[in-house]
Amino acid sequence: MELEILKNKDNKSVFVIDKINSALVNTLRRLIIAEVPTLAIEEVEFQKNTSALYDEIIAHRLGLIPLKTDLKSYNLKEECKCNGKGCALCELKLTLVAENEGIVYTSQLKSTDPKVVPAYLDMPIVELVKKQKLELEATAILGKGKQHMKFSPALAYYRGYPEFVINKDSNLKNLANELKDIITIKNDSIKINDLSKWNDKYENICELNNVEIKNSEEKFIFYIESWGQLSCKEILLKALEIFDEKLREFESKLKKAK
């Protein structure tokens, strides 16, 4: 297997994986979305809420706030030494007290762990008018996307590496004009200038100009767009670690079945 990083900036990573098959690439995608754990607010206790929104609506909004996650410091509740009762190793407390007129933002959430804060500090929670107040305590836990999508760390997807098939009816001159910033055509050969930006729109333009696109079944462009809880590198490494664990578990059960 070969790996080439095309883009790794902010919360987006794009890379090419070669000498692999679609089953393994899709397994990696599913592990990222459903198995890589992150912290998210699970329970909210309201001391006071005189805003225009019901407790349930605010609690739902709080649950969808991406929280910076430190995987080394927290355990899944089902794997914690406290047996899921709740302790400092599997739970995190955040508080919010707001009574000033205006919009309440995620930056006003106070965490007991300075490493775990909202990934985006300017997300609005609710708007208060004069004499309204919001006071609450929230409990965040580590969870997985297969339990609830609020725990999912990223959007992950892939496409087969594009291979161009030029024939006698291909309008290369018009194609070069339409995609002048995207591709380079030289000696009846098409090269994509930036693979990280390649998408279905450009493939459709190629087909309209009678240039056939064949997507490779052994080489893929893989995209990870993090929601902010973890970096793309952390997400990918954790997904591979989980994959190894599942393979070891499968091997162990297979040996016992003999």
Side-chain angles (χ1 to χ4, degrees), residues 43-51 53-56 58-59 62 93-99 108-110 132-139:
E43 296 180 358
V44 182
E45 181 181 339
F46 290 87
Q47 281 81 43
K48 195 171 187 65
N49 177 22
T50 56
S51 73
L53 299 183
Y54 294 119
D55 292 355
E56 294 84 355
I58 294 177
L62 291 169
K93 299 295 183 181
L94 301 101
T95 57
L96 174 62
V97 178
E99 53 187 349
Q108 293 172 252
L109 279 166
K110 305 301 179 185
Q132 288 185 338
K133 185 176 181 180
L134 179 62
E135 186 176 346
L136 57 86
E137 181 181 72
T139 303

Side-chain angles (χ1 to χ4, degrees), residues 81-100:
K81 293 179 180 179
C82 70
N83 296 318
K85 295 178 181 178
C87 68
L89 293 176
C90 64
E91 287 187 351
L92 168 75
K93 299 295 183 181
L94 301 101
T95 57
L96 174 62
V97 178
E99 53 187 349
N100 294 326

Side-chain angles (χ1 to χ4, degrees), residues 9 23 50 67 83 93 119 130 147 170 191 198 222:
K9 187 178 179 181
T50 56
L67 298 176
N83 296 318
K93 299 295 183 181
K130 194 174 182 180
Q147 299 165 324
S170 299
K191 180 184 177 182
W198 187 254
F222 201 99

